[in-house]
């Protein structure tokens, strides 16, 4: 392999560079959205840590794992976005590290949502067995399995690059994009297969839990006390579905971009920017709404931290 192959070719679409004013505007928008979402998420994590009622409840543990995962995902993808404008190309080893974390956390999100939907189903449809099934220990075990499943899908790409590319590659520079780094045919094929498995498995889980909760809500009309909980759980699953739909766009992002470029062939950079906002940032904005702001217990404690209205207690 000659030295020219150490530098990966950037797709022809990346040759569409923004003007300075457009580039600044896009970076300001991305940074403003990212900092706002991460501020809200950081406040959620602080609220979680300050009150024992949250970290002894499996539902809140799963939620805060999703929030922490989203913060890592946003930080890595925003870094890649800014680096692409400021440096254009960066060191391949550093790129590999950032891409790995970005892919890990992106894959974690739909799996976490699926587990949260199952917990919601057990709470509504099997309330007497909820304490038996949804223990703290099992919750942390499930979180470990989420990371393990993402590792099975992601780490082989790193091993393939290490095994098939010369060492000099990791000292060269690259436009940091997943398809530029993990471009081996095996990696591309494995990615497509794993995406299909994720799509089918997660959506079947979501549909199963939603319809079970939907029928539980219908049967609970006569029992008013349980009816409200069932309806709220059904609405939560619907929000999960909306958020999951946005997250799953990651798996068909290339096809979405191709479709948009068919209609707007002269606006590649704008199409990629809009897709980034819709696919990567918007789902992370929905997460705090589903459990953080809609949950009464969380909302009561969250308000004082979110608005910085906590005052130190004065003891006599």
């Amino acid at each position: 392999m000659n030295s020219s192959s150490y530098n990966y070719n950037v797709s022809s679409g990346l040759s569409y560079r923004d003007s300075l004013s457009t580039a600044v505007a896009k970076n300001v928008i991305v940074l403003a959205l990212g900092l706002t979402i991460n501020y809200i998420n950081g406040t959620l994590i602080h609220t979680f840590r300050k009150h024992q009622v949250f970290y002894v409840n499996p539902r809140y543990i799963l939620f805060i794992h999703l929030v922490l995962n989203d913060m890592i995902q946003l930080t890595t993808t925003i870094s890649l976005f800014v680096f692409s404008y400021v440096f254009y190309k960066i060191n391949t080893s550093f790129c590999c590290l950032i891409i790995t974390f970005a892919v890990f956390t992106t894959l974690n999100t739909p799996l976490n949502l699926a587990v949260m939907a199952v917990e919601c189903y057990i709470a509504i449809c099997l309330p007497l067995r909820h304490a038996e099934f949804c223990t703290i220990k099992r919750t942390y075990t499930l979180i470990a399995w989420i990371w393990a499943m993402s590792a099975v899908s992601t780490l082989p790409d790193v091993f393939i690059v290490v095994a098939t590319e010369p060492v000099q590659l990791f000292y060269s520079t690259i436009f940091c994009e997943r398809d530029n780094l993990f471009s081996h045919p095996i990696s591309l094929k494995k990615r497509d297969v794993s995406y299909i498995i994720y799509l089918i498995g997660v959506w079947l889980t979501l549909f199963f839990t939603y319809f079970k909760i939907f029928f539980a809500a219908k049967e609970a009309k006569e029992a008013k006390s349980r009816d409200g909980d069932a309806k709220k759980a059904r609405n939560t699953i619907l929000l999960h579905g909306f958020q999951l739909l946005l997250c799953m766009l990651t798996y068909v992002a290339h096809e979405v971009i191709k479709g948009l470029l068919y209609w707007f062939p002269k606006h590649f950079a704008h199409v990629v920017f809009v897709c980034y906002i819709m696919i990567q940032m918007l789902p992370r904005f929905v997460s705090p709404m589903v459990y953080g702001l809609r949950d009464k217990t969380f909302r009561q404690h969250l308000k004082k931290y979110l608005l910085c209205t906590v005052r130190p207690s004065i003891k006599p």
Side-chain angles (χ1 to χ4, degrees):
M1 185 178 293
N2 55 42
S3 60
S4 63
S5 63
Y6 299 158
N7 293 323
Y8 283 71
N9 291 326
V10 180
S11 62
S12 59
L14 294 172
S15 62
Y16 293 93
R17 303 295 291 171
D18 290 319
S19 64
L20 178 61
S21 59
T22 303
V24 170
K26 287 182 178 180
N27 279 272
V28 168
I29 291 172
V30 167
L31 286 172
L33 285 174
L35 290 173
T36 300
I37 296 171
N38 274 350
Y39 171 73
I40 296 173
N41 286 341
T43 308
L44 289 168
I45 293 173
H46 181 71
T47 304
F48 175 85
R49 289 178 60 252
K50 286 292 184 179
H51 301 279
Q52 186 178 2
V53 67
F54 297 126
Y55 53 80
V56 296
N57 188 319
R59 178 174 301 177
Y60 294 119
I61 293 173
L62 289 171
F63 168 62
I64 218 65
H65 172 255
L66 178 67
V67 168
L68 181 60
N69 183 82
D70 285 351
M71 289 186 71
I72 299 173
Q73 199 272 349
L74 270 180
T75 302
T76 53
T77 57
I78 290 174
S79 298
L80 290 176
F81 186 90
V82 174
F83 289 161
S84 70
Y85 281 92
V86 177
F87 304 110
Y88 191 65
K89 292 184 178 183
I90 62 175
N91 178 265
T92 304
S93 299
F94 183 53
C95 171
C96 184
L97 180 66
I98 299 179
I99 288 287
T100 301
F101 272 104
V103 174
F104 254 107
T105 49
T106 299
L107 293 177
N108 283 347
T109 299
L111 294 177
N112 204 113
L113 290 172
V115 172
M116 292 171 73
V118 172
E119 188 278 332
C120 197
Y121 154 74
I122 294 174
I124 296 302
C125 299
L126 302 170
L128 298 180
R129 307 201 66 182
H130 182 267
E132 175 187 350
F133 289 146
C134 302
T135 63
I136 303 298
K137 182 178 179 180
R138 286 182 176 177
T139 302
Y140 285 113
T141 302
L142 280 172
I143 290 174
W145 271 107
I146 289 172
W147 282 90
M149 291 180 67
S150 296
V152 169
S153 180
T154 306
L155 291 182
D157 292 334
V158 179
F159 297 148
I160 290 172
V161 171
V162 172
T164 59
E165 298 294 341
V167 177
Q168 290 90 332
L169 170 68
F170 296 96
Y171 297 98
S172 63
T173 58
I174 186 177
F175 183 86
C176 196
E177 188 181 53
R178 181 179 181 178
D179 287 349
N180 288 340
L181 183 62
F182 303 137
S183 59
H184 195 281
I186 294 178
S187 294
L188 297 176
K189 187 66 176 178
K190 178 190 66 61
R191 183 193 65 187
D192 293 339
V193 172
S194 63
Y195 281 1
I196 292 172
I197 294 173
Y198 269 57
L199 279 168
I200 295 174
V202 173
W203 275 110
L204 284 178
T205 301
L206 200 72
F207 281 130
F208 172 80
T209 54
Y210 173 75
F211 284 112
K212 285 289 186 178
I213 292 173
F214 175 78
F215 290 123
K218 286 187 67 175
E219 294 173 358
K221 282 184 178 180
E222 296 180 0
K224 298 296 182 182
S225 60
R226 187 165 171 251
D227 185 36
D229 291 338
K231 285 184 177 179
K232 184 178 179 181
R234 186 181 61 187
N235 293 336
T236 299
I237 296 296
L238 279 175
L239 284 172
H240 276 326
F242 173 68
Q243 184 181 12
L244 200 57
L245 179 63
L246 295 175
C247 293
M248 289 299 186
L249 288 177
T250 303
Y251 302 153
V252 292
H254 289 288
E255 300 304 321
V256 172
I257 292 175
K258 284 180 182 178
L260 290 175
L261 286 177
Y262 178 80
W263 296 102
F264 309 102
K266 297 181 180 180
H267 302 283
F268 177 87
H270 299 318
V271 167
V272 171
F273 175 72
V274 171
C275 287
Y276 173 73
I277 296 295
M278 295 295 295
I279 295 173
Q280 298 293 343
M281 302 199 78
L282 188 56
R284 276 78 206 175
F285 183 74
V286 174
S287 294
M289 309 300 175
V290 175
Y291 268 120
L293 300 182
R294 289 181 69 248
D295 185 272
K296 183 179 179 181
T297 305
F298 222 120
R299 188 169 62 246
Q300 287 176 345
H301 295 288
L302 180 65
K303 286 188 294 185
K304 55 186 179 181
Y305 297 116
L306 190 62
L307 302 176
C308 300
T309 58
V310 180
R311 292 181 173 86
S313 58
I314 300 175
K315 296 182 178 179

